[in-house]
Amino acid sequence: MLSEVLLVSAPGKVILHGEHAVVHGKVALAVALNLRTFLRLQPHSDGKVSLNLPNIGIKQDWDVARLQLLDTSFLEQGDIAAPTPEQMEKLKEVAGVPENCAVTERLAVLAFLYLYLAICRKRRALPSLDIVVWSELPTGAGLGSSAAYSVCLSAALLTACEEIQNPLKDGARVSRWPKEDLELINKWAFQGEKVIHGNPSGVDNAISTWGGALRYQQGKISSLKRLPALQILLTNTKVPRSTKALVAGVKNRLIKFPEIVAPLLTSIDAIALECERMLGEMALAPALEQYVVLEELIDMNQHHLNALGVGHAALDRLCQVTMAHGLHSKLTGAGGGGCGITLLRPDLEQEEVEATKQALTGCGFDCWETSLGGPGVSMHSAASLNGPVQQALGCF
Amino acid sequence: MLSEVLLVSAPGKVILHGEHAVVHGKVALAVALNLRTFLRLQPHSDGKVSLNLPNIGIKQDWDVARLQLLDTSFLEQGDIAAPTPEQMEKLKEVAGVPENCAVTERLAVLAFLYLYLAICRKRRALPSLDIVVWSELPTGAGLGSSAAYSVCLSAALLTACEEIQNPLKDGARVSRWPKEDLELINKWAFQGEKVIHGNPSGVDNAISTWGGALRYQQGKISSLKRLPALQILLTNTKVPRSTKALVAGVKNRLIKFPEIVAPLLTSIDAIALECERMLGEMALAPALEQYVVLEELIDMNQHHLNALGVGHAALDRLCQVTMAHGLHSKLTGAGGGGCGITLLRPDLEQEEVEATKQALTGCGFDCWETSLGGPGVSMHSAASLNGPVQQALGCF
């Protein structure tokens, strides 16, 4: 068991193209979003394991001795696996989450306990440690916040238990794990995602683990070889929506109008493929015309998503406001509200970007200027984290 | 030669679905628009033929004797045919249109002279007559105003010259010609359209002649057997646009992104076919759910047209304003401004319709509440025309 403090981060994700179409066997492009979740793991000898999630107001601890005495035989499955419904019931007993706790909070605690028990149970004694997780990502906005949480937990717990090595060398600010270790982190994170989401696609934990961009189709995930640096505005309309209802709506529309909707999904598929091709070209030899193509693809897909019935007046507003500044936007994720992305061409004046952000926040939206395709899960030195992150993690 | 006053009307048209896609071999549905063009033909013995077009400020007359002396041998082609460029030059000499006259006005005069000389030349002497044409249709808005003009001229001149019989029986208010006569009217009107447009599809004159709705694909025109009564708002954003540039823009997009745009055109085709099927069902047994389907088709096609790049902020505005009243709209025709149609469900309160019209005119748009699928070219008794039409035609 390592005795040092671990500082881990992992990115969120956005769907660049292919949301909804992916449900019907088409390609989706997911890209790492450089809004990150940060985790601080502090080993202790106080006989407690504590979890502190300041974003969602969770602060809970458990006696390690009590956890040690629990019948965790249900975790003895030899290999990495998600808990069955019965096992989930046992976990809930262990968790002791207050009755009035909301679903998101409850699931975050369960995912932690599951990963803690399952990863650390190979050790003679369960370790005593404090964990703080804080995120720049809004939760429940389709930005992969739960996957970033699971990835951070898996990476930190696997490292603390010496299942994988701490990649941070003396004097380094940030380091990443080798490929095999990342694969292990990703597998465990996927189990955490299953606790939270039931039946996740595995895209969110993969992109949070590997970073960059990946292509997903019918269960097959592959990384994009090359990716240019892309700056975006990420805007949260804060309009709540049900992903499940939106997915069902598209399915119903496909059943009702197969001759109309099937070619539309084909067109969305072609947009994702054209974008993938264009990103590859841009990584080799970037030119402004390529950004114009990306903008055309964004516009067409936004209209297609509207035609699928997953638009929203707030998203129309977002598109109009950014268009008034010459910028192109689309919804990302489930639609019906939620988030949109706006491409920032490299030739843009910062003044124009600021004016756009101001106009968007003027609509009551949250808006972040950030980048796409950044690194996946990483180990940090304390010095490499900025003040607000250090403060949020209680590093002082 | 008939000596009685003739009062003829013919409708404009809207494209319900299939604009732009029709250029690429897909189905378009055109429907008669009950905004009509009215013509009054008054035989005279003053030796003059006069044309009065109050909408566009044309008031011109010619000496019949001078026209009679002209070498109109170029019209002696035995059959109905459009003039060649050389013949058009001769017509321009005959016309004597002032130099400062705009293109639309010049072409309206040429089409009249062409139809007058070509239809009436079979008579021993060219007739002396006054013609007034007045229209409820805005010109150059893609609503088939030139076709309605050519259809009215052909019907009136063919009737005046007794090539076809006046269908109006004693005491009747409105009558229509038998099928063979309508075919002749349509053929001549198509020649008038050629003078004005060069290479028209023939859809506009067909719908203005036959009324109802028709389906057009790759040069083939066929009438829809059954059509329900449809009420709409027709809105003119008055944003000027170039049909030619918009058509070229779609073609360029198809060349640039064939895999994306070809399935989009396929989807638009399926929308037109589904609409045709639904209209047939509605004519037999109308139900409110069918209007909901028509609304869904309108929404999807509007998004598709946006994805083709032929939308406009004013059309977005139109859609948003009507949507705020629960009504669904799409552009009609070339897009990039121009006109939009809004379906009025039969369960709508007139109050709601009025509020929507007021909101649209508040945007600076022109807005008409009218119906689709009305009768084609018709002969009227004076009593059947309302006051404003009679006044515009100088019936008093």
Side-chain angles (χ1 to χ4, degrees):
Chain A
M1 181 71 197
L2 287 187
S3 59
E4 60 201 315
V5 170
L6 302 180
L7 295 166
V8 175
S9 80
K13 71 104 199 347
V14 291
I15 300 288
L16 209 51
H17 291 292
E19 49 271 275
H20 286 288
V22 72
V23 177
H24 304 279
K26 308 301 184 187
V27 166
L29 292 184
V31 189
L33 173 71
N34 209 19
L35 296 178
R36 303 178 76 89
T37 294
F38 294 88
L39 177 149
R40 180 170 172 272
L41 182 152
Q42 163 100 57
H44 264 302
S45 49
D46 64 355
K48 292 204 180 272
V49 55
S50 76
L51 178 69
N52 183 359
L53 309 176
N55 299 88
I56 56 173
I58 288 281
K59 200 166 182 174
Q60 218 173 331
D61 57 45
W62 299 266
D63 279 328
V64 169
R66 253 198 73 218
L67 293 178
Q68 193 82 44
L69 290 171
L70 276 170
D71 175 17
T72 54
S73 61
F74 65 86
L75 295 168
E76 307 291 338
Q77 291 153 334
D79 205 6
I80 300 166
T84 63
E86 294 74 36
Q87 293 165 351
M88 278 294 282
E89 284 310 309
K90 282 203 179 182
L91 274 177
K92 281 178 195 166
E93 282 170 37
V94 177
V97 179
E99 276 301 317
N100 60 354
C101 195
V103 175
T104 311
E105 285 75 356
R106 189 182 296 267
L107 291 172
V109 171
L110 290 178
F112 163 71
L113 274 180
Y114 169 72
L115 290 172
Y116 170 77
L117 292 171
I119 292 174
C120 303
R121 77 197 147 87
K122 292 185 182 167
R123 305 198 60 78
R124 201 165 25 87
L126 286 170
S128 175
L129 38 83
D130 289 350
I131 284 182
V132 188
V133 188
W134 177 81
S135 187
E136 295 168 341
L137 291 159
T139 55
L143 300 175
S145 64
S146 71
Y149 171 72
S150 292
V151 168
C152 281
L153 281 176
S154 303
L157 292 169
L158 286 167
T159 307
C161 295
E162 295 177 275
E163 294 280 324
I164 58 179
Q165 249 196 310
N166 184 342
L168 201 67
K169 297 289 165 282
D170 277 351
R173 293 173 57 85
V174 188
S175 288
R176 305 200 62 222
W177 288 264
K179 189 165 174 287
E180 308 74 50
D181 292 353
L182 289 173
E183 274 164 6
L184 193 66
I185 292 169
N186 188 42
K187 277 184 189 163
W188 277 110
F190 187 45
Q191 304 314 316
E193 277 282 87
K194 282 188 186 164
V195 171
I196 297 171
H197 287 300
N199 188 24
S201 69
V203 168
D204 288 13
N205 49 279
I207 199 78
S208 189
T209 301
W210 301 101
L214 59 80
R215 166 202 175 118
Y216 176 87
Q217 187 173 26
Q218 297 186 302
K220 265 185 63 182
I221 297 173
S222 56
S223 280
L224 268 67
K225 296 263 172 317
R226 287 182 297 267
L227 200 66
L230 290 177
Q231 290 294 120
I232 62 154
L233 293 182
L234 176 82
T235 304
N236 188 355
T237 65
K238 296 190 277 185
V239 174
R241 74 275 186 271
S242 155
T243 300
K244 212 167 151 180
L246 289 157
V247 168
V250 172
K251 194 180 169 187
N252 289 341
R253 192 166 281 209
L254 178 60
I255 291 168
K256 189 170 182 184
F257 303 118
E259 310 289 332
I260 297 166
V261 176
L264 187 52
L265 297 174
T266 303
S267 184
I268 292 175
D269 196 51
I271 288 172
L273 294 177
E274 177 67 14
C275 181
E276 184 182 0
R277 200 182 67 77
M278 195 49 59
L279 292 175
E281 272 189 21
M282 288 170 84
L284 290 176
L288 215 51
E289 307 92 77
Q290 297 160 333
Y291 285 91
V292 175
V293 171
L294 291 191
E295 288 177 339
E296 290 176 301
L297 298 176
I298 284 171
D299 287 345
M300 286 191 281
N301 202 355
Q302 175 62 15
H303 295 309
H304 285 9
L305 288 161
N306 272 319
L308 287 177
V310 299
H312 187 277
L315 292 165
D316 293 343
R317 188 81 199 282
L318 192 167
C319 291
Q320 273 170 0
V321 165
T322 56
M323 184 54 75
H325 293 268
L327 302 178
H328 300 249
S329 308
K330 70 176 276 290
L331 70 85
T332 182
C339 291
I341 49 173
T342 307
L343 186 66
L344 299 176
R345 292 186 312 271
D347 63 324
L348 276 173
E349 303 283 346
Q350 188 57 31
E351 228 169 80
E352 193 64 25
V353 177
E354 290 303 328
T356 311
K357 281 162 71 174
Q358 211 165 346
L360 289 167
T361 51
C363 297
F365 303 153
D366 288 339
C367 188
W368 297 266
E369 185 180 346
T370 184
S371 63
L372 294 183
V377 63
S378 304
M379 184 69 83
H380 295 261
S381 69
S384 75
L385 297 180
N386 65 30
V389 173
Q390 291 198 15
Q391 198 159 10
L393 294 180
C395 292
F396 308 124
Chain B
M1 180 74 198
L2 288 187
S3 59
E4 61 200 315
V5 171
L6 301 180
L7 296 165
V8 176
S9 80
K13 71 104 199 347
V14 291
I15 301 287
L16 208 51
H17 290 293
E19 50 272 274
H20 286 289
V22 73
V23 176
H24 305 280
K26 307 300 183 188
V27 166
L29 292 184
V31 188
L33 173 71
N34 210 20
L35 296 178
R36 301 179 76 89
T37 294
F38 295 89
L39 177 150
R40 179 171 174 270
L41 183 152
Q42 162 98 59
H44 264 303
S45 49
D46 64 354
K48 291 203 181 276
V49 55
S50 77
L51 178 69
N52 182 359
L53 309 176
N55 299 86
I56 56 172
I58 288 282
K59 200 165 183 176
Q60 219 172 332
D61 57 45
W62 299 265
D63 279 329
V64 169
R66 253 198 74 217
L67 293 178
Q68 192 82 44
L69 289 173
L70 277 171
D71 175 16
T72 55
S73 60
F74 65 87
L75 294 169
E76 307 290 340
Q77 292 153 332
D79 204 4
I80 300 164
T84 62
E86 295 73 37
Q87 292 164 352
M88 278 294 282
E89 283 310 307
K90 281 203 179 181
L91 274 177
K92 280 178 196 167
E93 282 170 36
V94 177
V97 180
E99 276 301 317
N100 61 354
C101 196
V103 175
T104 311
E105 286 74 356
R106 188 183 296 267
L107 290 172
V109 171
L110 289 179
F112 164 71
L113 274 180
Y114 169 72
L115 289 172
Y116 171 77
L117 292 171
I119 292 174
C120 303
R121 79 199 146 86
K122 293 184 181 167
R123 305 199 61 79
R124 202 166 22 89
L126 287 171
S128 176
L129 38 84
D130 289 350
I131 282 181
V132 189
V133 188
W134 177 81
S135 187
E136 296 169 339
L137 291 159
T139 54
L143 300 174
S145 64
S146 72
Y149 172 71
S150 292
V151 168
C152 281
L153 281 175
S154 302
L157 291 168
L158 286 166
T159 308
C161 294
E162 296 178 273
E163 294 279 325
I164 58 179
Q165 250 196 310
N166 185 343
L168 202 68
K169 297 288 166 281
D170 277 350
R173 292 172 57 84
V174 187
S175 289
R176 305 200 61 224
W177 287 263
K179 188 164 175 288
E180 308 74 50
D181 292 353
L182 288 174
E183 273 165 7
L184 193 64
I185 292 170
N186 188 41
K187 276 184 189 164
W188 277 110
F190 187 45
Q191 305 313 316
E193 276 281 88
K194 281 188 188 165
V195 171
I196 296 171
H197 287 300
N199 188 25
S201 68
V203 169
D204 288 13
N205 49 281
I207 199 79
S208 190
T209 301
W210 300 101
L214 61 79
R215 167 200 174 120
Y216 176 88
Q217 187 173 26
Q218 296 186 304
K220 264 185 63 182
I221 296 173
S222 56
S223 280
L224 268 65
K225 297 264 174 313
R226 287 182 297 267
L227 200 66
L230 290 178
Q231 290 294 118
I232 61 153
L233 294 182
L234 176 81
T235 305
N236 188 355
T237 65
K238 296 189 278 185
V239 173
R241 75 274 186 271
S242 156
T243 300
K244 213 167 150 179
L246 289 158
V247 168
V250 172
K251 194 180 169 188
N252 288 341
R253 192 165 282 209
L254 177 60
I255 291 168
K256 189 170 179 184
F257 304 117
E259 310 289 332
I260 297 166
V261 177
L264 187 53
L265 297 174
T266 303
S267 184
I268 292 175
D269 196 51
I271 288 172
L273 294 176
E274 177 67 14
C275 181
E276 184 182 359
R277 198 181 68 76
M278 195 49 58
L279 292 175
E281 273 189 20
M282 289 171 84
L284 290 177
L288 214 52
E289 308 91 78
Q290 297 160 333
Y291 284 92
V292 175
V293 171
L294 291 191
E295 289 178 338
E296 290 177 301
L297 298 176
I298 284 172
D299 287 344
M300 286 192 282
N301 201 355
Q302 175 62 14
H303 295 308
H304 285 9
L305 288 161
N306 272 320
L308 287 178
V310 299
H312 188 277
L315 292 165
D316 293 343
R317 189 82 199 282
L318 193 168
C319 291
Q320 272 170 1
V321 165
T322 56
M323 184 53 75
H325 293 267
L327 302 178
H328 299 249
S329 308
K330 69 177 277 288
L331 70 85
T332 181
C339 290
I341 49 173
T342 306
L343 186 66
L344 300 176
R345 292 186 311 272
D347 62 325
L348 275 173
E349 304 283 347
Q350 188 57 32
E351 228 169 81
E352 194 64 24
V353 176
E354 290 302 329
T356 311
K357 281 162 72 173
Q358 210 166 347
L360 288 168
T361 51
C363 297
F365 302 152
D366 289 340
C367 188
W368 297 266
E369 185 180 347
T370 184
S371 63
L372 294 182
V377 63
S378 304
M379 184 69 83
H380 295 260
S381 69
S384 76
L385 298 179
N386 65 31
V389 173
Q390 291 198 16
Q391 197 159 12
L393 294 179
C395 292
F396 307 125

